[in-house]
Amino acid sequence: MRKFLLTTLSLALLPISVTARTLLETAVAKITEAPSVSTRFEVSDFSGKVTGEAVIAGNRFVIVTDGGEYETWFDGKTQWTYNAAAGEVSMTEPTQQEILEVNPLSIISDIENNYKISPADNGKNDLNKFELTPIKKNTGLRKAVITIDRTTQWPVEIQATLSDNGILDIKFLDTAAGPGVPADSFRYRTAYHPDAEIIDLR
């Protein structure tokens, strides 16, 4: 489980696929150009619901679930996941699907080259929805519907169908841009959990 603004006239004159891509890319730029982004999240799948907080900077992230059951650090290559119940920290080099399951905002990386984009139920309740269909087969994703708040231009929900047909429903709350974060903040340190056993699965 575990990235707009045109006048009304301009929008009316653009082909719908170009319009959808422009709207979404502007919202995505707000995320990708920020030094960091913090958000509270709620992720639901067949096994239940998990809530927590995330800090994301580019392709790096730190995610902590409420209650501290799981903590995850990813520095762009290596992922460390602390399991409080087991008292273990697992080290992996995750696949794209495994990254999607932990950090759903990674869906929006490089959307121009990775997805076909079409609008879905736009114009309702100040929200814009976009359906993303991967162009490549190795993304770990079959499709995703991303909902953007037109006022804040932050994503508020992502519904993702993974390549194994698993479905994730992710809601984002209190999302905000933040300052730059040192790179080593996205790496696990033994001082965080000195008694945890480290299991290297790379």
Side-chain angles (χ1 to χ4, degrees):
M1 296 182 52
R2 305 220 252 249
K3 231 160 255 64
F4 100 148
L5 287 177
L6 300 174
T7 65
T8 302
L9 178 59
S10 296
L11 290 176
L13 294 174
L14 285 172
I16 190 66
S17 59
V18 176
T19 300
R21 181 177 294 277
T22 301
L23 297 177
L24 182 57
E25 285 179 349
T26 303
V28 167
K30 184 172 181 177
I31 296 172
T32 58
E33 294 174 5
S36 68
V37 173
S38 62
T39 188
R40 281 198 53 79
F41 64 85
E42 178 184 292
V43 180
S44 302
D45 68 2
F46 73 93
S47 64
K49 180 171 68 176
V50 173
T51 61
E53 298 184 355
V55 175
I56 301 162
N59 66 341
R60 304 184 300 272
F61 56 82
V62 176
I63 294 175
V64 179
T65 60
D66 290 341
E69 291 89 350
Y70 292 96
E71 300 174 44
T72 301
W73 299 259
F74 181 66
D75 66 0
K77 179 181 180 181
T78 302
Q79 179 172 294
W80 296 262
T81 300
Y82 171 67
N83 182 329
E88 297 175 345
V89 175
S90 59
M91 295 177 62
T92 61
E93 292 184 0
T95 64
Q96 184 62 36
Q97 177 165 332
E98 289 169 338
I99 292 173
L100 286 173
E101 292 174 350
V102 178
N103 175 25
L105 280 179
S106 64
I107 289 173
I108 63 177
S109 62
D110 197 15
I111 63 167
E112 182 175 355
N113 296 315
N114 288 336
Y115 303 102
K116 295 179 181 178
I117 303 170
S118 60
D121 297 328
N122 287 333
K124 297 179 180 179
N125 302 319
D126 294 324
L127 302 174
N128 282 95
K129 292 187 177 183
F130 304 92
E131 182 171 306
L132 275 59
T133 304
I135 297 171
K136 303 173 184 177
K137 294 183 178 180
N138 61 348
T139 63
L141 186 72
R142 298 179 75 90
K143 71 173 183 178
V145 176
I146 298 180
T147 304
I148 304 291
D149 185 309
R150 287 203 301 271
T151 301
T152 66
Q153 296 186 356
W154 290 119
V156 295
E157 185 173 13
I158 296 177
Q159 295 175 312
T161 302
L162 305 177
S163 57
D164 62 1
N165 290 321
I167 296 176
L168 294 176
D169 185 6
I170 311 101
K171 294 180 172 63
F172 302 98
L173 308 169
D174 301 325
T175 304
V181 180
D184 61 2
S185 298
F186 300 98
R187 302 185 186 105
Y188 175 74
R189 303 176 187 178
T190 55
Y192 294 158
H193 301 287
D195 297 327
E197 179 183 1
I198 297 178
I199 301 174
D200 194 335
L201 301 174
R202 293 174 294 177

